[in-house]
Amino acid sequence: MKGRARQQHARFFVFQDNSLLAGSNPYMHLHAAQTAALRVKNFIDSRADFLPKLVDISLKFETFCGDSIHKEYQSILEGVYRTNKGFVDLSAAKTLLNRYTLSIPIERASRLTRDLLRQHLPHFEENRLILPAHIPSSARCVILPERFHSLTQREKHNMLSLMACVRLHKLHLLSDRLLPLTRKDMKEKLVSVALTKLATHRKQPKTASPIMGSRGLKVYVYQIQQRGNTFEQNDYVVGGDGMSLCITSTQPIDLTLTDMSFNHIEIGAIHVQIKEHTVEIINKSDWDCCTKFHTVLLNARWRKRTGSSFYVYNESKIKDGILPCYIVGCLTEKGFLDFKRMLSVVSEYSRSIEEREAVVKAYNRKCNLQKPRIVSPVYDQNVSYIVYGPSNLTCAAAFPDGEDINTYGDYFRKCKHQKVDDSCILFCVQRQWFLPRKAQKHIGSSGLDDLQKDPKPDSDSVLNEGERSLCSGLVAALMPIDLCLEAPIADASLFLHCLILPQILFHIDTIFTVQAFVEHCSGNLPILGSYIREISKDSFNDLLEAMTAKSCRKENNYDRFEFVGDAVLKLVHTDALLHSTTLRNWVSYLHEGDLSTLRNAMGSNERLMQASISAGLDRYILFQELGRSQWVPSGLELHTILNDGTECINDAAPEQAGNKTKADFIESLLGLIYMKNGFTAARSVSEELGITLPRDSDYDVSIPGYTPNKRIMKVTEILGGIQFTHPVLLEEALTHPTCTHEEVPCYQKLEWVGDAVLCLFARSWVFDKFPSSKVGELVILESTIVCNETLAYLCISNGLQRYLNHCDPSLPGRIEAFEIDCKARGLWATDAPKCLGDIVESVFGSVFVDAGLDAALSAVHRVVYPVLETLHNTFGHLHHDDMAFKARSLINPKQYIHEVIGGEAVSVKSWKEEIFAIKKPSCPVWKDGIWGRADYMGCLYIGLVQCFGIDLIGLQEKSAPVARNRTCAIVMAVFEANPDLVSKIKDLSQLLLRKTQYVEGN
């Protein structure tokens, strides 16, 4: 007795004659039950000869002519087969063979009963063994030598199993340890036999140091012109006098694409344009003055005001980098380098606190300053004001809106704890402009930062007595001049021009990096370089997007292109494995699980990361966001003073992108090239980078003596009349794994191919049709197209199931039940037979292998069109936010739990009802429209909802997938009706995670 018969609550029932005496015991004793079971088994075995044969036993498989024939014969003579890492004998061979077979992906429904599972296991006949159907017919039949035909059945089965194990090992379907292949085995095989050498690059020549000629140093000066209504008004007030900043370089640089705009919170729109260059000849002292000004300016504007870090100019950093050598300078109204102003700024920056206080004390207390200056309160030097001159008030003046404070002097003495005389003159000031620290997230269609057109600044607040609001948009105030000192850079006009200087330089660095990437590819990777150069001319913004990592925290990053590129690489590897000279024979013997493992090993993040480094592409990834701890301006190094007074380089900012980012960058580039130039271009780039296998276009898939099945060829009408050059592929695509006696292998390999074709089609379609959607929404739309329930529905609606060749007696009933449930309960409440979706994918795969990608995509579009039309009509006209909300109505309930809630705090599992009744006897179960409990004798399934491990409710259904899906749908409905509940669960989950980490850390 096995399984349920050994359980504590097992009861045995038999048919019994009603004519027996009423006092007879209706239950059967264990011994009687065993006797009855044996009689039933013997009866079934005796009737085996009367059952109709599924196949013609006289069918002759093609004689296997592989290298293992001699080893197979030798192993059964010796009774054992040995490798350098393991061995298997006659007694263990059958177990190993079954272990290999069970490593093959088998539909869940086929594992439920022994009879259905037996259809997928090796099939023993009189003197031969039929291996699983994914193996080509030329190697599928193991024939026992004639001299052993007289042995017992068990002995023959053991010998056939040992011969099969030898054959599987020689075909590299078992490892040297005589176990099913693992990912590590696949990778070792790829590295040792097939993988090509990764592309390499020439080292970037170092940027030359500025060379002084006989006439001096030739520099190229590019004016940074900033415009905006409020900006120009403010500049006029603070005495700009036509001054401007500039980019100074020792070599010509391309700044044609660096125009940008910024929306300042107080000033509004600031339009930035880099003007055509002028040339000046300067001497070494002038160049040193420019570098010092560059360093001082960025220290004043960009370094953290709290802490001991500061920037130091380092010429060697420019030499080793990919960016050209440039620094920021200052121009006069006539457009010449203003060395006088730059020297003054450098000198002022080096003043001590006492000197800056003394300058303020020397201000004229009777008339306005000649030009407004920047000052800071002595009690908080991180706050700055623009000071214009004295007001007509002193600290004895009444303080506005003061409850317990009467005068300005009281305010500073009580609130700021500063000693100030009531006779101290109050100067008119305005709070200095807000200093933005981040780049704007939105990137417009022109490649510039989006902003409102000339946004109108907030109206000035009501002025109190003595206050003046000269600069539009800034807050006015009064400050005791005795409590002030000048800021390190007190030139108000210069500081106004520096407001968005980090954003400007960051944008320039970004453009320079893209330009350097184009030149690097053109010089080192001709194929990639030719495509990238064309894209940079026609779609520069797309190239910029494909190079921008998510860590930049920009609205447009490589996420969408990487989403497509992952599917492109998947199909590139699939195509390469099919056409690889060194691997295609081995690939033809692999089952779906091994094929997927092999493909994943080829496209692993480690391999892609190595390719990115080897080709020198990783240096051009835009991975740093604009932040003081992330981005360091050109030519500068961040230094820190330690507690012991020593100075060292601060290496907190990452020097290179992470390994995952490097791998994603390769996929992003492939996605970009595919969307712009097609699959052939993406495949060529992959081959150039060395991330795929050499491809042999001469690939023969024909089977000698094969006669096309005319009935199956009617499927071509469903596909739009495609004419197959190799009809055998279509028959293979419609052959179920239970058909072990067919000439063609089963559909597993073509399903694996079709999965890659369908994935690429779905991702490129949603990418193209929904350009403003994020990857999260695209994933939902893609999963709606490619999930098994959708494919099963398309299979039924196109009638493909009528052409499926199978030997599974349970399949017709399950297909009929699926059709009925689709109409009655909806798609997510069905248990779709996996084979229906499999044959849709395998048919797509057969078209791809026979006629190429264009024909395959056409076939996919024709079959999937009803779903595409529904998606486009439903979401094509919606705003992004509306689309994101409505897309949830299409999401598979299981995916909702994973995507929205995380799948950890809330979990849904399916149980067999009899086990659930024992393990969870008190959990309420919804069944047949009422609440109840699971039945010990039940034969259905229970979907269970748990929240942080606590059982909530169960739902009874006839199959595990339906129970799980419907239970997930309940959770989905609850959370959509109570959105606050989602955030609360997430917060609690984070709290528990931190607590767990704390406990583990201690």
Side-chain angles (χ1 to χ4, degrees):
M1 291 292 176
K2 296 182 178 180
R4 292 175 62 182
R6 291 203 305 266
Q7 294 180 9
Q8 180 180 0
H9 301 283
R11 303 169 73 185
F12 301 96
F13 296 90
V14 296
F15 292 105
Q16 195 168 28
D17 192 345
N18 290 333
S19 62
L20 295 177
L21 296 176
S24 61
N25 190 351
Y27 300 108
M28 179 179 287
H29 294 288
L30 178 60
H31 177 71
Q34 292 174 330
T35 303
L38 181 62
R39 292 178 62 187
V40 172
K41 181 180 181 301
N42 292 336
F43 173 77
I44 293 175
D45 291 341
S46 67
R47 298 286 294 174
D49 295 335
F50 296 94
L51 296 175
K53 301 295 182 182
L54 294 177
V55 295
D56 185 1
I57 290 297
S58 63
L59 175 64
K60 299 289 185 180
F61 281 97
E62 184 180 340
T63 303
F64 181 63
C65 303
D67 298 335
S68 65
I69 290 294
H70 175 70
K71 282 288 185 181
E72 291 175 18
Y73 186 73
Q74 183 181 355
S75 66
I76 59 175
L77 289 178
E78 297 176 356
V80 65
Y81 174 65
R82 299 181 184 277
T83 68
N84 57 351
K85 293 184 179 180
F87 72 92
V88 60
D89 56 21
L90 287 170
S91 61
K94 193 171 183 180
T95 300
L96 175 58
L97 183 59
N98 286 334
R99 181 171 182 177
Y100 167 75
T101 307
L102 292 175
S103 71
I104 303 171
I106 301 175
E107 187 177 359
R108 181 195 59 83
S110 298
R111 294 177 179 265
L112 295 180
T113 65
R114 175 181 289 184
D115 291 337
L116 294 179
L117 182 59
R118 189 177 294 168
Q119 297 287 339
H120 298 266
L121 296 177
H123 179 62
F124 290 96
E125 296 178 354
E126 185 64 26
N127 293 304
R128 67 180 187 178
L129 168 64
I130 310 300
L131 293 175
H134 71 274
I135 298 177
S137 57
S138 59
R140 199 184 309 156
C141 183
V142 181
I143 301 176
L144 189 68
E146 189 173 352
R147 61 177 290 187
F148 301 106
H149 287 187
S150 59
L151 298 177
T152 64
Q153 185 183 49
R154 172 174 288 187
E155 291 173 331
K156 288 193 288 186
H157 284 188
N158 288 341
M159 287 186 171
L160 287 169
S161 298
L162 184 59
M163 292 176 67
C165 291
V166 175
R167 183 174 299 183
L168 292 175
H169 177 254
K170 289 299 181 181
L171 292 174
H172 304 288
L173 303 182
L174 292 175
S175 67
D176 287 341
R177 295 171 296 158
L178 294 177
L179 293 172
L181 297 176
T182 63
R183 185 186 179 94
K184 182 179 179 181
D185 298 325
M186 297 285 189
K187 189 173 181 180
E188 290 176 354
K189 177 78 172 177
L190 287 171
V191 172
S192 62
V193 177
L195 284 184
T196 58
K197 187 177 180 181
L198 295 174
T200 56
H201 69 287
R202 298 188 299 271
K203 288 188 176 181
Q204 187 80 9
K206 293 186 177 182
T207 305
S209 301
I211 300 176
M212 292 292 171
S214 58
R215 296 177 54 195
L217 177 65
K218 185 178 181 180
V219 295
Y220 299 83
V221 180
Y222 301 81
Q223 181 187 6
I224 303 175
Q225 187 181 74
Q226 302 183 61
R227 291 287 182 264
N229 294 337
T230 308
F231 179 89
E232 293 175 36
Q233 186 271 338
N234 282 204
D235 192 33
Y236 174 78
V237 169
V238 296
D241 296 334
M243 71 82 59
S244 61
L245 298 177
C246 68
I247 298 294
T248 306
S249 175
T250 57
Q251 57 186 353
I253 51 180
D254 184 6
L255 291 169
T256 55
L257 296 173
T258 53
D259 294 354
M260 63 172 286
S261 298
F262 193 90
N263 198 21
H264 191 272
I265 191 172
E266 295 163 334
I267 296 178
I270 304 176
H271 304 274
V272 182
Q273 185 178 16
I274 310 296
K275 308 298 287 186
E276 289 290 334
H277 73 269
T278 59
V279 178
E280 292 193 33
I281 305 297
I282 62 175
N283 55 37
K284 188 176 187 306
S285 61
D286 293 337
W287 177 255
D288 290 341
C289 173
C290 291
T291 58
K292 290 177 181 177
F293 176 78
H294 175 73
T295 307
V296 164
L297 204 62
L298 271 303
N299 268 307
R301 172 60 185 90
W302 191 238
R303 79 174 183 91
K304 290 184 177 181
R305 297 193 179 186
T306 57
S308 57
S309 298
F310 57 94
Y311 293 117
V312 175
Y313 185 75
N314 185 353
E315 192 174 280
S316 62
K317 182 182 178 183
I318 297 179
K319 295 180 189 178
D320 297 333
I322 62 175
L323 301 177
C325 172
Y326 74 88
I327 56 178
V328 178
C330 180
L331 297 180
T332 64
E333 184 179 5
K334 294 182 178 181
F336 298 106
L337 287 171
D338 192 346
F339 293 105
K340 180 179 179 181
R341 193 165 195 162
M342 289 192 283
L343 285 172
S344 174
V345 169
V346 172
S347 176
E348 286 182 355
Y349 190 79
S350 62
R351 295 175 298 179
S352 65
I353 293 179
E354 290 77 14
E355 291 173 329
R356 287 153 51 195
E357 288 179 341
V359 171
V360 173
K361 290 179 180 178
Y363 282 175
N364 192 322
R365 316 246 169 156
K366 295 182 179 180
C367 61
N368 290 335
L369 302 179
Q370 186 176 0
K371 286 186 178 181
R373 303 284 284 177
I374 304 292
V375 298
S376 299
V378 293
Y379 52 82
D380 188 358
Q381 297 183 31
N382 293 324
V383 178
S384 298
Y385 295 89
I386 307 169
V387 59
Y388 299 103
S391 68
N392 56 356
L393 301 177
T394 65
C395 286
F399 189 77
D401 303 327
E403 296 180 359
D404 299 331
I405 299 174
N406 298 322
T407 66
Y408 279 92
D410 290 341
Y411 171 78
F412 287 101
R413 285 189 289 266
K414 293 181 179 180
C415 298
K416 302 300 181 182
H417 308 291
Q418 299 296 316
K419 295 180 180 180
V420 59
D421 294 331
D422 287 341
S423 61
C424 180
I425 296 176
L426 294 172
F427 268 52
C428 297
V429 299
Q430 281 186 284
R431 182 71 178 260
Q432 181 188 272
W433 306 277
F434 171 74
L435 302 178
R437 295 192 297 270
K438 300 291 183 181
Q440 294 189 154
K441 292 184 178 181
H442 298 282
I443 302 297
S445 59
S446 63
L448 309 179
D449 293 333
D450 286 342
L451 74 165
Q452 306 168 10
K453 293 184 179 179
D454 297 329
K456 190 175 182 179
D458 295 335
S459 58
D460 298 334
S461 57
V462 178
L463 297 178
N464 296 308
E465 183 183 1
E467 295 177 346
R468 283 184 281 175
S469 180
L470 302 180
C471 284
S472 178
L474 301 184
V475 177
L478 295 175
M479 281 287 296
I481 198 62
D482 291 346
L483 295 183
C484 295
L485 76 165
E486 277 199 347
I489 291 184
D491 189 330
S493 176
L494 178 63
F495 215 87
L496 172 62
H497 283 261
C498 292
L499 285 186
I500 62 169
L501 181 61
Q503 285 73 18
I504 296 173
L505 298 184
F506 183 75
H507 182 68
I508 289 175
D509 283 358
T510 298
I511 302 301
F512 281 165
T513 303
V514 177
Q515 293 171 347
F517 175 70
V518 174
E519 294 302 322
H520 171 84
C521 293
S522 299
N524 295 277
L525 303 163
I527 298 176
L528 175 61
S530 62
Y531 292 124
I532 290 296
R533 186 170 291 279
E534 290 301 316
I535 293 172
S536 68
K537 294 177 182 177
D538 302 332
S539 307
F540 185 86
N541 300 319
D542 289 335
L543 178 57
L544 177 61
E545 180 179 337
M547 294 178 61
T548 304
K550 289 182 284 188
S551 56
C552 282
R553 301 184 185 279
K554 288 189 176 181
E555 189 73 15
N556 290 348
N557 55 52
Y558 65 37
D559 231 7
R560 283 170 52 87
F561 282 116
E562 189 260 334
F563 171 72
V564 176
D566 179 70
V568 173
L569 192 62
K570 185 177 181 180
L571 186 57
V572 165
H573 287 156
T574 301
D575 182 64
L577 287 171
L578 290 175
H579 295 86
S580 170
T581 307
T582 55
L583 288 181
R584 66 186 180 198
N585 290 331
W586 177 48
V587 167
S588 65
Y589 293 102
L590 296 176
H591 58 72
E592 180 193 358
D594 283 345
L595 289 169
S596 297
T597 303
L598 180 61
R599 183 169 61 192
N600 292 338
M602 286 181 63
S604 66
N605 284 336
E606 180 183 0
R607 179 73 177 174
L608 296 180
M609 179 267 294
Q610 292 172 349
S612 180
I613 296 173
S614 179
L617 305 181
D618 60 308
R619 302 173 69 238
Y620 301 91
I621 302 173
L622 303 171
F623 68 96
Q624 290 179 327
E625 66 172 318
L626 181 60
R628 287 172 174 169
S629 61
Q630 292 285 324
W631 174 76
V632 177
S634 172
L636 300 181
E637 276 184 346
L638 186 63
H639 287 223
T640 300
I641 302 296
L642 301 179
N643 294 331
D644 59 2
T646 58
E647 179 180 334
C648 68
I649 297 177
N650 188 332
D651 55 359
E655 291 291 332
Q656 58 181 351
N659 291 341
K660 177 68 166 58
T661 301
K662 295 174 184 176
D664 291 344
F665 182 48
I666 295 287
E667 293 181 331
S668 173
L669 290 178
L670 292 179
L672 172 67
I673 291 171
Y674 172 76
M675 296 305 297
K676 299 296 181 182
N677 301 99
F679 180 73
T680 303
R683 184 174 61 198
S684 300
V685 170
S686 300
E687 292 173 353
E688 183 179 47
L689 293 174
I691 56 177
T692 188
L693 308 177
R695 187 177 184 275
D696 181 11
S697 57
D698 184 16
Y699 176 45
D700 185 17
V701 296
S702 61
I703 295 179
Y706 171 77
T707 303
N709 187 324
K710 294 182 179 180
R711 176 177 174 273
I712 288 181
M713 294 309 296
K714 293 181 180 179
V715 173
T716 58
E717 299 175 4
I718 300 174
L719 303 176
I722 294 175
Q723 297 300 316
F724 277 79
T725 306
H726 303 93
V728 64
L729 290 169
L730 187 56
E731 183 168 351
E732 179 181 337
L734 295 167
T735 301
H736 195 266
T738 56
C739 297
T740 57
H741 289 75
E742 297 294 338
E743 287 183 277
V744 296
C746 69
Y747 58 57
Q748 284 198 2
K749 183 177 70 175
L750 290 180
E751 177 208 343
W752 170 74
V753 177
D755 170 68
V757 174
L758 180 60
C759 179
L760 179 57
F761 172 86
R763 292 193 178 189
S764 58
W765 186 84
V766 298
F767 179 96
D768 184 60
K769 296 298 182 183
F770 303 97
S772 61
S773 298
K774 296 181 180 179
V775 169
E777 286 85 47
L778 298 185
V779 168
I780 293 175
L781 296 173
E782 180 215 1
S783 64
T784 303
I785 298 172
V786 305
C787 70
N788 187 60
E789 288 85 353
T790 300
L791 296 181
Y793 168 77
L794 292 172
C795 178
I796 297 296
S797 61
N798 286 279
L800 279 175
Q801 82 282 3
R802 297 196 299 268
Y803 302 94
L804 177 61
N805 181 17
H806 69 92
C807 297
D808 185 348
S810 70
L811 193 53
R814 291 194 289 122
I815 293 176
E816 183 179 4
F818 170 70
E819 291 186 72
I820 295 173
D821 286 344
C822 271
K823 297 176 182 178
R825 310 177 68 180
L827 194 58
W828 301 137
T830 61
D831 185 9
K834 184 177 180 297
C835 65
L836 296 181
D838 290 347
I839 62 173
V840 174
E841 292 180 329
S842 62
V843 167
F844 296 155
S846 68
V847 179
F848 174 79
V849 175
D850 185 80
L853 181 61
D854 291 340
L857 294 180
S858 176
V860 173
H861 187 272
R862 184 179 179 88
V863 173
V864 184
Y865 179 75
V867 177
L868 304 181
E869 186 180 30
T870 301
L871 291 176
H872 192 261
N873 292 340
T874 305
F875 302 113
H877 63 283
L878 294 179
H879 184 267
H880 169 70
D881 295 334
D882 296 332
M883 184 247 173
F885 174 77
K886 197 166 184 180
R888 291 187 178 180
S889 63
L890 284 179
I891 192 172
N892 190 311
K894 292 182 294 184
Q895 189 179 356
Y896 177 89
I897 300 297
H898 177 73
E899 296 281 347
V900 179
I901 307 171
E904 297 179 357
V906 177
S907 64
V908 177
K909 299 179 180 178
S910 59
W911 295 67
K912 288 185 177 180
E913 186 176 6
E914 64 270 22
I915 298 177
F916 186 88
I918 298 173
K919 300 287 186 180
K920 312 282 186 181
S922 60
C923 181
V925 176
W926 181 261
K927 55 181 182 178
D928 298 329
I930 59 173
W931 289 104
R933 295 286 187 270
D935 189 353
Y936 291 108
M937 303 303 297
C939 57
L940 300 179
Y941 291 85
I942 305 295
L944 173 66
V945 182
Q946 290 182 317
C947 184
F948 296 108
I950 301 173
D951 300 336
L952 299 183
I953 61 167
L955 178 71
Q956 184 190 67
E957 277 294 342
K958 61 183 179 181
S959 68
V962 175
R964 189 165 51 249
N965 279 351
R966 293 200 66 199
T967 308
C968 288
I970 291 176
V971 176
M972 183 175 172
V974 169
F975 284 125
E976 286 183 344
N978 303 274
D980 293 342
L981 197 57
V982 177
S983 59
K984 291 179 180 179
I985 290 178
K986 287 183 176 180
D987 292 342
L988 181 57
S989 180
Q990 290 296 322
L991 179 62
L992 292 176
L993 178 62
R994 289 194 297 269
K995 192 171 183 178
T996 302
Q997 292 173 343
Y998 174 79
V999 172
E1000 291 176 352
N1002 292 314

